Amino acid sequence: MAEGLEVALTDLQNSWNNVRHRTEEISSSRLLVRRGQAFNITLFFRNRAFQPGLDNIIFVTETGPLPDLPKGTRAVFSLASHRGPSPWIASLQAIGASSLEVSLCAPPVAAVGRYLLKVHIKSLQGPVTAYQLGEFILLFNPWCPEDAVYLESEPQRQEYVMNDYGFIYQGNKNWIRPCPWNYGQFEENIIDICLELLDKSLNFQIDPATDCALRGSPVYISRVVCAMINSNDDSGVLNGNWGENYSDGTSPTEWMGSVAILKQWHAAGCQPVRYGQCWVFAAVMCTVMRCLGIPTRVITNFDSGHDTDGNLIIDEYYDNTGRILENKKKDTVWNFHVWNECWMARNDLPPGFGGWQVLDATPQETSNGLYCCGPASVRAIKEGEVDLNYDTAFAFSMVNADCMAWLVFGGKEQKLHQDTNTVGNFISTKSIQSDERDDITEDYKYAEGSLQERQVFLKALEKLKAGRSPGSLRAESRPRSVPLSDSPRSLATPSLQPSNVVQVSLKFQLLDSPDMGQDIRFVLLALNMSTQFKDLKVNLSAQSLLHDGSPLLPFWQDTAFITLSPEEAKTYPCKIPYSQYSQYLSTDKLIRISALGEEKSSPEKILVNKIITLAYPSIVINVLGAAIVNQPLSIQVVFSNPLSEQVEDCVLTVEGSGLFRRQQRVLIGVLKPHHKASLTLQTIPFKSGQRQIQANLRSNKFKDIKGYRNIYIDFGL
């Protein structure tokens, strides 16, 4: 009589499976697999061989604190040739003298997360025996055509899932600069922190069984992660701060990687890390989503609208010196704003709206009561389908709102002009497998000035009106001092600019690149487009801006009187000395110069402005010698103080996934004016392939002098 079959040992074949599931960079010592793709395990028996007719092996997988068959968080499936009721599959691979190799496969809709794998063995004669075989982590699978996150292109999968570094574009539309970032989604413990993040969400705290059951949906997971990156509703990862005081934390501009932030959050018992702004929220979300297996990229939108009242118009207020005023309504244009796109099917929407979806983890407005935004279909944004889930109207306004400029004078408001193409420029992301910038503006909107673009804008506006009670769409926003005929315009045609009425054009032009520590030299170009003489009075001002568009007080003002002959052009030279702007500069290094011009014979006023982002010289990183896995490597970092004054409390930070196991911090102390220095760091690379080193220098006068170096690590022998 055959005795019951006893399991002595299980080999989860971690290393072999992880290579095939493209998770070997996370670990080779524990099992991490992707749904919809088979993985192999081997059972070793203590007493005899497996006999197919005699022994029935039943596998059980469980995830979450309350595994449940109807909810799909528990599965029971047998090793049999016929398909059972469970969507999980077990199939026989090989029978040995005292072993059995089995292939297991999770359905492509299974919940992602941490699983327990058990086995029940029923032999004809013996009792049923149960064994716990071990744990594994199940991830989304963009390589599986049945998975909702399937992405067809292998170069795109390599960039948007597997690449652990990249660039986030910052600056302004006239000066776009790449900021290097270490996503580090495969670094030690990051997967555990990502799963902990899901378990800290309000959804899990309120109803863990349902939350775990819904984790098979990338739409659901992306909303949960989006809300958890900011800390406005929960014990999320980052505290936002758009002020000027970061003394009780880290200035958002200092960060250059997600790993340090996620590890700090975990080490502090899931207390929010101070501080983040939009690019930090988006970069950390990119790390989490790529780690979970959802293709994700980071997007920058220059001149990004924040329309608080949903009328697709952003109102900006100026005084008669040309300076921008604090906005009572909090409508603003951010010089740039950063969000994510995640790739997924949208079975909850009409056909055609899958693909890239906007997710914005920066806490701006609530969505279903929580601070998150998206997923909003990029195609829906382009087509003006602003009534589709989730938060498509808000995303539409970020790239397509119109701008209305008002002059506030003597308690009254006068409309200066309405601009249809200020908002949403040079929408940018890193190119696939290259360090170049991709401009994806046409994914979001039709060409500015085209008939299609205006038609889509009108469609979006109509849908927003239809979605509200009559009269609630801020028709009353018109200032009472302006005749009604002057305020609304046909949205199908851009308004006539005041410069066309006055027939004078004003424009700013920089004479040098605006480097930190140097005087800012620029000219105001005035052009008379008429056949009459023109007498102009132009008020000029300069003020610092915070990243979210909030203005600080002006620190420079000037008045120019310019007489122009018919069709004459003149330049008016201007200079703002470093000594004048240095003490007024915010950490965002943004200066807005404005000119408000009026002509004696016309009541119309002409407003022009320009945003200047002050630049630092980059850190230079040199790799000394060949870079080989597990071989010592020397890295030289060259940096300097760009200012004509001494700086103190200098700290150099260096990191890079696969090169440094933790952030390297070197206290430099004092740097004399314009002093150049270098130091050499030693490390032992532990991962092969294309890598990046990121460096940041901070002091009491600046926070974010950055540099990077791409490096290829050879596998060696």
Side-chain angles (χ1 to χ4, degrees):
M1 188 179 77
E3 57 189 327
L5 194 61
E6 294 178 28
V7 176
L9 192 69
T10 310
D11 178 8
L12 295 180
Q13 300 190 30
N14 299 330
S15 185
W16 189 89
N17 284 318
N18 288 4
V19 168
R20 278 149 190 78
H21 286 252
R22 301 169 181 86
T23 59
E24 75 275 16
E25 281 220 8
I26 301 175
S27 175
S28 58
S29 59
R30 53 185 180 149
L31 184 59
L32 298 112
V33 294
R34 299 188 185 276
R35 59 189 199 172
Q37 182 179 342
F39 60 96
N40 290 5
I41 65 168
T42 308
L43 305 179
F44 293 93
F45 304 113
R46 182 170 283 118
N47 51 343
R48 62 175 176 83
F50 169 76
Q51 295 176 24
L54 184 66
D55 304 309
N56 186 17
I57 293 184
I58 296 165
F59 290 98
V60 179
T61 58
E62 295 177 341
T63 186
L66 300 162
D68 182 46
L69 267 175
K71 278 189 154 71
T73 48
R74 184 172 195 262
V76 179
F77 52 106
S78 65
L79 181 62
S81 55
H82 60 86
R83 288 290 299 270
S86 171
W88 288 69
I89 301 166
S91 53
L92 188 62
Q93 292 296 104
I95 301 175
S98 60
S99 67
L100 176 70
E101 188 174 13
V102 179
S103 168
L104 306 177
C105 188
V109 295
V112 300
R114 209 181 296 278
Y115 277 79
L116 210 52
L117 179 61
K118 303 174 182 177
V119 68
H120 295 174
I121 300 178
K122 246 185 221 175
S123 298
L124 280 179
Q125 306 298 327
V128 175
T129 51
Y131 300 90
Q132 197 162 299
L133 303 181
E135 273 195 357
F136 65 94
I137 290 172
L138 188 68
L139 301 173
F140 288 100
N141 191 354
W143 285 266
C144 171
E146 286 78 42
D147 196 306
V149 302
Y150 173 64
L151 189 56
E152 195 173 358
S153 154
E154 180 60 19
Q156 286 193 332
R157 292 188 294 237
Q158 288 301 318
E159 182 66 55
Y160 302 136
V161 181
M162 302 302 289
N163 199 356
D164 61 7
Y165 68 86
F167 299 103
I168 301 167
Y169 294 96
Q170 298 182 353
N172 65 64
K173 68 181 174 192
N174 302 311
W175 186 75
I176 297 173
R177 70 181 181 100
C179 173
W181 196 271
N182 176 23
Y183 296 118
Q185 67 268 35
F186 304 130
E187 289 296 285
E188 192 178 14
N189 299 333
I190 292 298
I191 181 63
D192 303 295
I193 296 171
C194 293
L195 296 177
E196 180 179 30
L197 187 141
L198 297 180
D199 288 350
K200 289 290 175 190
S201 75
L202 290 179
N203 299 38
F204 182 86
Q205 303 295 322
I206 294 164
D207 185 354
T210 302
D211 174 72
C212 287
L214 291 170
R215 288 183 185 178
S217 159
V219 172
Y220 178 79
I221 285 269
S222 64
R223 276 183 75 73
V224 168
V225 171
C226 194
M228 278 302 296
I229 297 298
N230 67 68
S231 59
N232 285 43
D233 311 290
D234 41 45
S235 53
V237 177
L238 280 156
N239 259 343
N241 185 342
W242 287 267
E244 296 179 271
N245 181 12
Y246 308 107
S247 56
D248 57 346
T250 300
S251 165
T253 57
E254 276 184 58
W255 299 113
M256 53 186 176
S258 309
V259 177
I261 295 168
L262 288 165
K263 287 190 171 179
Q264 188 177 321
W265 176 75
H266 168 74
C270 307
Q271 291 302 302
V273 175
R274 299 172 178 164
Y275 287 105
Q277 288 183 9
C278 63
W279 68 93
V280 189
F281 292 115
V284 174
M285 179 150 183
C286 183
T287 296
V288 174
M289 299 302 269
R290 284 185 185 180
C291 186
L292 295 173
I294 298 177
T296 303
R297 57 190 189 179
V298 176
I299 309 297
T300 302
N301 177 37
F302 291 94
D303 298 329
S304 190
H306 184 166
D307 172 28
T308 54
D309 49 12
N311 69 339
L312 298 184
I313 289 178
I314 289 164
D315 296 301
E316 292 187 321
Y317 298 91
Y318 294 83
D319 70 8
N320 63 347
T321 68
R323 78 167 166 138
I324 192 166
L325 302 172
E326 187 74 53
N327 189 322
K328 302 179 286 291
K329 286 200 298 86
K330 296 298 179 190
D331 273 9
T332 48
V333 177
W334 299 36
N335 63 307
F336 68 89
H337 182 51
V338 183
W339 59 72
N340 298 100
E341 283 179 4
C342 298
W343 182 272
M344 63 189 74
R346 288 298 301 270
N347 299 325
D348 58 320
L349 299 182
F353 293 103
W356 290 117
Q357 311 289 317
V358 167
L359 284 136
D360 188 352
T362 300
Q364 297 184 81
E365 303 290 323
T366 56
S367 171
N368 291 353
L370 290 178
Y371 276 95
C372 71
C373 175
S377 161
V378 173
R379 176 149 182 262
I381 294 165
K382 182 169 183 172
E383 300 300 338
E385 303 292 349
V386 294
D387 49 345
L388 295 181
N389 283 343
Y390 290 87
D391 311 303
T392 309
F394 187 76
F396 182 90
S397 73
M398 292 197 292
V399 299
N400 232 334
D402 284 357
C403 241
M404 185 93 82
W406 301 94
L407 175 66
V408 180
F409 187 61
K412 295 184 177 180
E413 295 171 2
Q414 175 190 343
K415 188 173 95 166
L416 289 169
H417 61 84
Q418 182 159 344
D419 196 337
T420 63
N421 54 16
T422 297
V423 168
N425 292 294
F426 299 104
I427 304 175
S428 301
T429 192
K430 178 186 176 296
S431 289
I432 298 165
Q433 297 179 324
S434 119
D435 287 354
E436 297 304 307
R437 180 181 70 88
D438 258 0
D439 190 306
I440 57 166
T441 310
E442 65 178 21
D443 292 357
Y444 280 84
K445 55 186 184 178
Y446 291 99
E448 288 290 1
S450 70
L451 184 61
Q452 274 177 309
E453 187 266 340
R454 281 292 99 186
Q455 285 171 338
V456 166
F457 184 90
L458 279 172
K459 183 211 281 188
L461 202 55
E462 288 305 316
K463 283 177 179 280
L464 285 172
K465 281 182 182 172
R468 299 167 180 223
S469 58
S472 70
L473 188 73
R474 255 185 72 255
E476 65 275 16
S477 73
R478 282 195 294 268
R480 299 288 176 259
S481 60
V482 177
L484 278 177
S485 61
D486 183 48
S487 195
R489 65 181 174 86
S490 160
L491 286 164
T493 56
S495 65
L496 194 64
Q497 295 296 327
S499 58
N500 298 339
V501 178
V502 184
Q503 292 190 294
V504 171
S505 147
L506 295 179
K507 187 182 175 187
F508 283 119
Q509 187 176 331
L510 284 170
L511 296 175
D512 317 293
S513 66
D515 292 327
M516 180 63 80
Q518 306 298 314
D519 297 346
I520 301 169
R521 299 190 319 120
F522 58 96
V523 294
L524 178 69
L525 298 168
L527 171 64
N528 183 358
M529 298 180 285
S530 77
T531 53
Q532 268 91 48
F533 281 87
K534 296 284 182 181
D535 275 328
L536 295 183
K537 177 189 175 188
V538 185
N539 290 324
L540 299 118
S541 70
Q543 60 196 124
S544 281
L545 288 185
L546 299 181
H547 164 66
D548 65 0
S550 303
L552 304 180
L553 289 173
F555 54 80
W556 174 86
Q557 289 181 323
D558 192 8
T559 304
F561 294 93
I562 304 170
T563 303
L564 294 170
S565 302
E567 298 181 349
E568 184 187 15
K570 275 187 181 173
T571 60
Y572 181 80
C574 304
K575 183 173 85 168
I576 307 174
Y578 171 67
S579 58
Q580 190 166 357
Y581 72 74
S582 59
Q583 69 239 42
Y584 295 100
L585 212 52
S586 72
T587 52
D588 301 301
K589 307 182 298 298
L590 291 172
I591 292 175
R592 180 180 193 134
I593 50 175
S594 300
L596 187 68
E598 53 186 313
E599 206 271 325
K600 272 184 182 171
S601 61
S602 170
E604 292 284 346
K605 293 180 170 56
I606 313 160
L607 175 72
V608 290
N609 49 57
K610 187 179 187 71
I611 291 178
I612 298 169
T613 307
L614 289 150
Y616 289 123
S618 294
I619 293 172
V620 176
I621 301 170
N622 299 313
V623 178
L624 310 177
I628 300 167
V629 170
N630 297 328
Q631 299 289 316
L633 178 66
S634 296
I635 292 161
Q636 182 193 47
V637 185
V638 184
F639 52 93
S640 60
N641 172 11
L643 306 181
S644 50
E645 57 185 311
Q646 179 171 293
V647 294
E648 297 165 7
D649 308 325
C650 296
V651 179
L652 180 73
T653 310
V654 181
E655 63 181 81
S657 287
L659 285 147
F660 300 98
R661 291 195 182 271
R662 62 186 63 83
Q663 236 185 19
Q664 308 295 301
R665 294 171 80 83
V666 184
L667 302 177
I668 307 293
V670 173
L671 278 176
K672 291 190 164 52
H674 300 297
H675 181 70
K676 191 173 184 179
S678 76
L679 58 85
T680 303
L681 299 172
Q682 307 291 329
T683 189
I684 298 176
F686 53 95
K687 289 183 179 179
S688 62
Q690 192 67 41
R691 303 286 161 193
Q692 190 182 75
I693 305 164
Q694 299 93 7
N696 185 75
L697 179 68
R698 74 152 206 247
S699 74
N700 63 332
K701 297 280 183 187
F702 49 76
K703 298 296 177 207
D704 62 330
I705 294 186
K706 294 199 181 321
Y708 72 92
R709 177 67 181 262
N710 291 349
I711 174 173
Y712 189 82
I713 311 291
D714 276 319
F715 194 76
L717 300 173

